[in-house]
């Protein structure tokens, strides 16, 4: 009997050798300690979280832009609400208390008394336009004795241009109706007492 032929098995492939990495540099004795930033406080504001996540330069630019916008808005509201701006003018005038029994005097100063006790330094002076809207306000200054009367002067600034007529009133004592030109000329005169 013949022996069966043995098939030769191929030799297993030789083990591949992995490339060797260069050696690591020696470790220093002490590594520097890097401080960790404190964790950010939780905030309910989504905008605040977004700003905190921006790089410092962008956050600074954003803060500057927001600040400039708020200053501009505040200036615009101040000018609109209190009469600032190029389209306004001012007027001057005075109120005379001619009744000697209607005012108190202290040296050279004076103020109303009795039925005129609402007249004194700080009493409001209002200007309304033709539509009846209060458009500017001022107040009486310190009273002064002029002859036998008490005179309290005022200036009202920031009156908007363009109304056909204006009404100027001291306290609740009745109003003078004037044109814009008359108000610009100033020296409005109110008289109380007999």
């Amino acid at each position: 009997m013949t022996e069966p032929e043995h098939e030769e098995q191929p030799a297993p492939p030789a083990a591949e050798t992995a490339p060797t990495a260069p050696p690591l540099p020696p470790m220093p004795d002490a590594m520097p300690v890097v401080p960790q930033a404190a964790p950010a406080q939780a905030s309910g504001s989504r905008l605040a979280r977004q700003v905190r996540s921006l790089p410092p330069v962008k956050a600074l630019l954003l803060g500057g832009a927001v600040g400039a916008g708020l200053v501009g808005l505040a200036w615009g509201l101040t000018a609109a609400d209190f009469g600032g701006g190029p389209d306004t003018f001012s007027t001057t005038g005075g109120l005379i208390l001619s009744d000697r029994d209607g005012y108190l005097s202290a040296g050279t100063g004076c103020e109303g008394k009795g039925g005129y006790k609402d007249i004194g330094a700080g009493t409001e002076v209002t200007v309304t336009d033709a539509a009846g809207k209060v458009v500017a306000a001022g107040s009486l200054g310190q009273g002064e004795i002029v002859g036998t009367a008490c005179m309290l002067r005022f200036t009202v600034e920031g009156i908007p241009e363009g109304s056909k007529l204006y009404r100027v009133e001291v306290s609740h004592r009745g109003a003078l109706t004037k044109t814009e030109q008359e108000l610009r000329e100033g020296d409005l005169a109110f008289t109380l007492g007999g």
Side-chain angles (χ1 to χ4, degrees), residues 95-164:
L95 180 138
I96 300 171
L97 282 171
S98 59
D99 184 352
R100 280 189 154 183
D101 294 328
Y103 64 88
L104 295 170
S105 63
T108 58
C110 57
E111 63 183 16
K113 73 172 188 177
Y116 304 112
K117 67 182 176 184
D118 61 315
I119 304 299
T123 298
E124 186 174 50
V125 179
T126 57
V127 178
T128 56
D129 62 11
K133 177 185 175 190
V134 175
V135 293
S139 60
L140 295 178
Q142 187 66 43
E144 60 182 290
I145 300 294
V146 178
T148 60
C150 177
M151 165 75 88
L152 300 101
R153 299 180 192 281
F154 64 85
T155 299
V156 179
E157 298 179 344
I159 304 167
E161 296 178 343
S163 184
K164 281 182 150 184

Side-chain angles (χ1 to χ4, degrees), residues 3-17:
E3 290 187 27
E5 290 184 25
H6 289 288
E7 288 184 16
E8 286 191 28
Q9 296 286 334
E16 293 182 21
T17 58

Side-chain angles (χ1 to χ4, degrees), residues 53-80:
S53 69
L54 291 174
V57 172
K58 285 186 180 177
L60 181 63
L61 291 174
L62 177 63
V66 170
L70 290 175
V71 168
L73 176 63
W75 182 85
L77 289 176
T78 300

